[in-house]
Each structure stands twice: as structure tokens, then as C-alpha cells.
């Protein structure tokens, strides 16, 4: 049962390590244009060979038989005359040695055959007689007398092709099929050469998807490109446009973030200079919270742009991850009343090389997200720190309502928020989990989000050098 289930769960070529060979072969045919083209060439070769040989055989057996029948009858008459009446065994033996024929003489006096080691039903003449019978059934009553003659003294002389000579004839059919298969192999090599630009296009598209726009797709014969060359040029143009748009967006965000810092600083200073009277105290605190939130958003935008670069600079240093996690929980306690109830479960971890400020950012965002989405009366969020297969696992789980499954793949994208979280009290702007993913990737790790039922579980994996 388990084996059948495993065989059904390997539809893609990248997940075929445990699939049976016939499943891998079928997937290879289904997912490979090159293999399908080769199979088409082979099927075409076999079809052409069978059609060609069948047509030639039919043309020879039907068309040429009618034309060669008078010549064959005249030649058989001459051979029978040469043997004589009564038949001469010496002359018949000489004919059998000279020509690739088999002779059978049957009569009242002589009963002789030229090749005793061949039964009569194996003679080539038997094959030819079958063809004569077919002609006779088609309405030709002379067909059965083509290879048989009667002498004046009542002996029957029957001619046939020597079976050994017949079996040693050139194998035209196999030779033709071999040539066609060879041509198919040559065609495959040529098609492989023609389709090689597809590999370059695939690798180039993967580079563009990873954000690496420094190397464009190689275009063969750029002065006179073919269809694949035009496709590569189009994708290169698309990659350049996307790169320019991303750079423009990045420049705009950086410019806006830097330009907004100065007025925010002035606004915060002016709010702090307001008199601390009972009439304005509530408004003053509300303005301070809003300004702090805007300042945090700007810092997150700047940090996301720093981490999104291909060469994110990390300042690694030996870090006590458990102690850092306790510090983050203590800091969150000042803003979230429920932070004091966060459950920390940490293994005995050695000092690990991390960018401490970025790891603090990841822990803060994960715990803040779990606190925002925890239900009243539900168990507090849990933070697990443990080593699994030479990797540090940072897992944060809450006991909230969770997220619809179709939203899970998008939660770690920039500015993405599911509809259920677009509230002032529970939803941010959609940068928290995005920054966590960037921090994990900058350290060579990954971020995984899954429903824990109840709640949501986010796992950040960091490889640790041994």
C-alpha cells in the first residue's frame, strides 16, 4: 500500500527519487520535449520502413510476377529439357550445383532429390508453390504448373529455390531499418543541437527569478537569430525592464524613507515640547505612538532594501540565541501585555555565529506577529529553539485562528496581508514576515509558514557550520 502511494506521489521530475523506474520513465517522456521528439522520430522511422518494405514487397509480388512469368516458364522448360527423359541424375545434380535450386524427381523408375538434408516442405519451391496457389485461387489456373514439369516417361520434375541460399540472402529489411534508426540518431543529435538554446533560456529565466540580472541569456547568431534567438532576446529585454523597474522602486523607497525621517524627527520633537497638561496628555501620547509607528515603518523599509540586495552585509558574531530571545521577550513586555506569558523552550545551544541585530529583528517580528493574532483566553505563544540536523530551528507558534491555506504561500511577501488581518489592532503593513524571510535567507536559511490547527506556526531554519 505504501509503495503504491509513493508511486502516485511523484508527478514531477524533481520529486522522483523514490519512484519506480517505470514511473520515472513515464514522467521523463511526459516532461521532456527532447525525448518526445526522439520518440516521434523513431516512430516515423519504423513506420516509413514498414511501409516502404511492404510496398516494395507487394509491388514485386504482384507487378513483377506477371512480367516474369513467361521468362520463368521458358527457363524451367529449358532446365527440364536439359535433364532429359528419362531424367538424368548426373545432369540434374550438375544443375543443382550450378544454380541455387532444389530438384525433386519422382516417377515410376527414379525417385531422387538434390538436397536430401532438406525436407520437401522446407524447399523454397514450397514457398513459391504457395504463391502459385494464390495465383490459382485468384483465377490463374496456370500458376501451379510454373515450377513442375512432366517427362514423356511419366516422371515429375519439380524445381524450387535452395532454402539455404534463400536464408543467406541479404537482410534488406533489417538493413533498411538499421539505416533509418541511424538517421534517427543523427536527427536526434541535430535536434539536440537546435534545442540547446532552451537550456540557456531556462537558466537565464532562473537567474532573473532569483534577482540576478547581471548576466543576460546568450543569443547564438545574434546577427541573424532564429525563433529561439528571438525568444532569448525578448526575455533579455523583459529582464532589463524588470531590473529597471525594481531599481526605480528601490530608489524611490530609499529616497522617500530618507526624506521622511527629517520631518518625522521634527514632528516628534514638537510633540515632546507640548506642555504636559491633563488636557493634551492623551493627544500627546497618541501622536507619539503614531510617530513611533511611522518611524518603525521607515526603518523596516530601509532594512528590507538592505537585506533584499544580493550582497547583504552581515556582521556575524558569537551569539547566545536563548539569551537574545529572553531579551526580546522582555522588550516586548513593555508594549504587549501578553508578552510576559510567552513560553520559551530552548535546547542547550552553544554560541552561534549570527548577525545579532538581524536575528533580534526576526525574533521580534515573529513574536509580535504571534501576539497580534492570539485569541483572548487562548494559550500564550510558544518559542522553540532547537538544533535539528546541523541547523538551528526557530519556531514560533500561536493559538489564534490561523490563516486560510490559499494565503500561506503569500504571507512572506512584501506588503501582503490576508483579508482577515486588515485591521488596525491586529494587522501591520505586511513587512514583518517579509523581513523575517529576508533575514533567514541572508543567513543561508529558509522560512516556512504552516497552519498548526489551531493557530499558525512559523519556522526559520539557519544552517550552522560544524
Amino acid at each position: 500500500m505504501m509503495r503504491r502511494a509513493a508511486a502516485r506521489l511523484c508527478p514531477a521530475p524533481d520529486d522522483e527519487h523514490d519512484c519506480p523506474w517505470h514511473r520515472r520513465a513515464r514522467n521523463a517522456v511526459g516532461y521532456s520535449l527532447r525525448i518526445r521528439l526522439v520518440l516521434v522520430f523513431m516512430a516515423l522511422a519504423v513506420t516509413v520502413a514498414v511501409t516502404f518494405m511492404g510496398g516494395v514487397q507487394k509491388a514485386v509480388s504482384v507487378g513483377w510476377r506477371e512480367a516474369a512469368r513467361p521468362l520463368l516458364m521458358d527457363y524451367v522448360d529449358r532446365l527440364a529439357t536439359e535433364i532429359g527423359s528419362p531424367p538424368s541424375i548426373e545432369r540434374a545434380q550438375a544443375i543443382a550445383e550450378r544454380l541455387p535450386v532444389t530438384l525433386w524427381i519422382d516417377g515410376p523408375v527414379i525417385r531422387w532429390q538434390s538436397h536430401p538434408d532438406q525436407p520437401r516442405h522446407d524447399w523454397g519451391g514450397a514457398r513459391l508453390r504457395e504463391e502459385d496457389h494464390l495465383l490459382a485461387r485468384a483465377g490463374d489456373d496456370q500458376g501451379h504448373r510454373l515450377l513442375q514439369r512432366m517427362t514423356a516417361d511419366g516422371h515429375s520434375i519439380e524445381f524450387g529455390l535452395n532454402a539455404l541460399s534463400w536464408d543467406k540472402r541479404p537482410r534488406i529489411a533489417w538493413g533498411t531499418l538499421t539505416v533509418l534508426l541511424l538517421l534517427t540518431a543523427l536527427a536526434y543529435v541535430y535536434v539536440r543541437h537546435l534545442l540547446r538554446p532552451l537550456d540557456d533560456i531556462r537558466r537565464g529565466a532562473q537567474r532573473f527569478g532569483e534577482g540576478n540580472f547581471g548576466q543576460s541569456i546568450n543569443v547564438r547568431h545574434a546577427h541573424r537569430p532564429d525563433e529561439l534567438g528571438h525568444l532569448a532576446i525578448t526575455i533579455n529585454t523583459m529582464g532589463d525592464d524588470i531590473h529597471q523597474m525594481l531599481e526605480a522602486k528601490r530608489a524611490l523607497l530609499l529616497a522617500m524613507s530618507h526624506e521622511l525621517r527629517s520631518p518625522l524627527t521634527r514632528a516628534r520633537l514638537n510633540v515632546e515640547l507640548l506642555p504636559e497638561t491633563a488636557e493634551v496628555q492623551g493627544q500627546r501620547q497618541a501622536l507619539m505612538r503614531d510617530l513611533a509607528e511611522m518611524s518603525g515603518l521607515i526603518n523596516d523599509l530601509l532594512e528590507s532594501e538592505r537585506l533584499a540586495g544580493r550582497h547583504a552585509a552581515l556582521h556575524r558574531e558569537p551569539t547566545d540565541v536563548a539569551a537574545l530571545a529572553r531579551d526580546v521577550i522582555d522588550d516586548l513586555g513593555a508594549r504587549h501585555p501578553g508578552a510576559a506569558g510567552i513560553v520559551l523552550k530552548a535546547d542547550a545551544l552553544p554560541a552561534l555565529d549570527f548577525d545579532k541585530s538581524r536575528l533580534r529583528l526576526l525574533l521580534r517580528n515573529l513574536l509580535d506577529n504571534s501576539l497580534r493574532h492570539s485569541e483572548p483566553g487562548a494559550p500564550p505563544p510558544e518559542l522553540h529553539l532547537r538544533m535539528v540536523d546541523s541547523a538551528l530551528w526557530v519556531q514560533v507558534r500561536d493559538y489564534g485562528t490561523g490563516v486560510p491555506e490559499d494565503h500561506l504561500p503569500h504571507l512572506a511577501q512584501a506588503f501582503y496581508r490576508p483579508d482577515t488581518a486588515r485591521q488596525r489592532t491586529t494587522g501591520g503593513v505586511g513587512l514583518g514576515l517579509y523581513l523575517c524571510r529576508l533575514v533567514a535567507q541572508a543567513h543561508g536559511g529558509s522560512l516556512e509558514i504552516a497552519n498548526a490547527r489551531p493557530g499558525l506556526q512559523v519556522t526559520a531554519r539557519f544552517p550552522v557550520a560544524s
Side-chain angles (χ1 to χ4, degrees):
M1 181 68 71
M2 294 295 293
R3 191 171 299 173
R4 290 197 298 269
R8 290 193 298 269
L9 296 176
C10 50
D14 295 336
D15 302 326
E16 292 182 332
H17 301 85
D18 298 327
C19 293
W21 68 268
H22 58 85
R23 175 74 61 166
R24 292 196 299 271
R26 190 172 71 177
N27 286 343
V29 174
Y31 289 96
S32 175
L33 177 62
R34 187 179 302 116
I35 293 179
R36 279 181 284 175
L37 286 175
V38 171
L39 293 178
V40 169
F41 275 116
M42 293 181 64
L44 179 62
V46 173
T47 303
V48 171
V50 171
T51 304
F52 173 76
M53 290 184 292
V56 170
Q57 181 180 6
K58 189 171 183 62
V60 171
S61 62
V62 176
W64 286 94
R65 183 186 299 159
E66 296 297 331
R69 177 177 295 171
L71 298 176
L72 180 59
M73 293 181 66
D74 182 69
Y75 191 69
V76 170
D77 289 340
R78 290 176 179 271
L79 291 179
T81 302
E82 183 177 346
I83 293 174
S85 179
S88 172
I89 296 178
E90 290 77 10
R91 287 194 291 269
Q93 184 67 43
I95 291 174
E97 293 175 355
R98 186 174 77 248
L99 301 175
V101 296
T102 300
L103 295 175
W104 178 278
I105 301 176
D106 190 7
V109 179
I110 301 175
R111 184 177 178 83
W112 175 85
Q113 67 182 63
S114 59
H115 296 80
D117 56 334
Q118 293 183 218
R120 190 172 184 178
H121 64 272
D122 287 339
W123 292 4
R127 298 190 184 95
L128 295 179
R129 286 200 306 278
E130 290 175 2
E131 295 180 5
D132 293 336
H133 293 323
L134 292 176
L135 290 173
R137 286 194 296 269
D140 188 352
D141 58 356
Q142 300 294 326
H144 68 283
R145 297 185 303 174
L146 282 176
L147 301 175
Q148 188 174 7
R149 294 294 181 270
M150 297 297 297
T151 62
D153 58 350
H155 286 83
S156 171
I157 303 176
E158 189 173 346
F159 296 86
L161 291 177
N162 189 346
L164 296 177
S165 300
W166 182 270
D167 292 336
K168 293 179 182 179
R169 70 191 185 281
R171 305 292 184 177
I172 299 177
W174 289 109
T176 304
L177 184 59
T178 301
V179 172
L180 288 176
L181 291 178
L182 178 61
L183 293 177
T184 302
L186 295 177
Y188 166 74
V189 174
Y190 183 64
V191 170
R192 178 69 183 88
H193 175 73
L194 290 179
L195 296 181
R196 188 166 296 169
L198 288 177
D199 296 333
D200 297 333
I201 293 174
R202 175 179 55 82
R203 288 191 291 266
Q206 289 176 343
R207 290 195 301 270
F208 295 164
E210 295 169 355
N212 180 13
F213 298 94
Q215 181 181 357
S216 61
I217 300 173
N218 182 38
V219 180
R220 294 189 302 175
H221 310 296
H223 59 289
R224 292 187 62 183
D226 54 10
E227 290 83 354
L228 293 179
H230 285 296
L231 177 61
I233 293 174
T234 302
I235 295 179
N236 283 335
T237 303
M238 179 187 68
D240 292 338
D241 294 341
I242 294 175
H243 188 208
Q244 292 176 6
M245 287 189 294
L246 292 176
E247 289 297 319
K249 183 208 74 168
R250 182 173 181 271
L252 177 62
L253 287 176
L254 290 175
M256 292 177 60
S257 301
H258 283 292
E259 293 299 326
L260 286 174
R261 276 189 164 184
S262 296
L264 281 176
T265 303
R266 291 194 299 269
R268 185 181 181 89
L269 179 61
N270 291 329
V271 171
E272 290 178 349
L273 293 177
L274 289 176
E276 297 183 5
T277 61
E279 293 79 7
V280 299
Q281 187 64 23
Q283 298 177 354
R284 182 176 182 273
Q285 292 178 355
L287 286 173
M288 291 295 291
R289 285 195 301 269
D290 290 341
L291 291 174
E293 185 176 346
M294 294 177 65
S295 178
L297 173 60
I298 292 174
N299 290 333
D300 287 346
L301 286 173
L302 292 173
E303 187 65 20
S304 66
E305 291 302 322
R306 296 189 191 100
L307 290 172
R310 295 181 55 243
H311 303 288
L314 298 178
H315 302 284
R316 292 178 179 266
E317 56 182 319
T319 303
D320 187 340
V321 180
L324 180 63
R326 285 189 287 268
D327 291 342
V328 173
I329 294 174
D330 293 339
D331 293 340
L332 287 174
R335 293 187 292 119
H336 293 280
I342 294 177
V343 179
L344 174 60
K345 298 180 179 180
D347 294 345
L349 302 174
L352 302 174
D353 286 336
F354 281 101
D355 188 315
K356 186 177 296 186
S357 62
R358 267 62 184 269
L359 186 58
R360 177 185 293 273
L361 173 64
L362 178 137
L363 291 170
R364 186 196 70 195
N365 285 351
L366 290 182
L367 293 174
D368 182 74
N369 184 75
S370 65
L371 290 170
R372 285 174 179 269
H373 296 90
S374 293
E375 293 291 327
E382 298 176 0
L383 172 59
H384 298 265
L385 304 174
R386 61 177 185 268
M387 293 293 295
V388 179
D389 296 333
S390 300
L392 173 66
W393 284 29
V394 178
Q395 286 184 327
V396 175
R397 182 198 171 168
D398 61 66
Y399 289 88
T401 58
V403 177
E405 292 292 335
D406 55 338
H407 290 287
L408 288 177
H410 310 289
L411 285 182
Q413 295 178 2
F415 303 108
Y416 182 85
R417 296 181 301 174
D419 293 337
T420 56
R422 293 188 177 184
Q423 301 174 6
R424 176 73 172 175
T425 57
T426 60
V429 296
L431 283 176
L433 292 178
Y434 173 64
L435 281 171
C436 293
R437 178 170 67 85
L438 292 180
V439 170
Q441 291 177 347
H443 285 82
S446 62
L447 188 77
E448 180 182 340
I449 305 174
N451 279 318
R453 294 182 179 85
L456 194 73
Q457 179 172 282
V458 183
T459 304
R461 298 181 178 89
F462 298 92
V464 177
S466 56

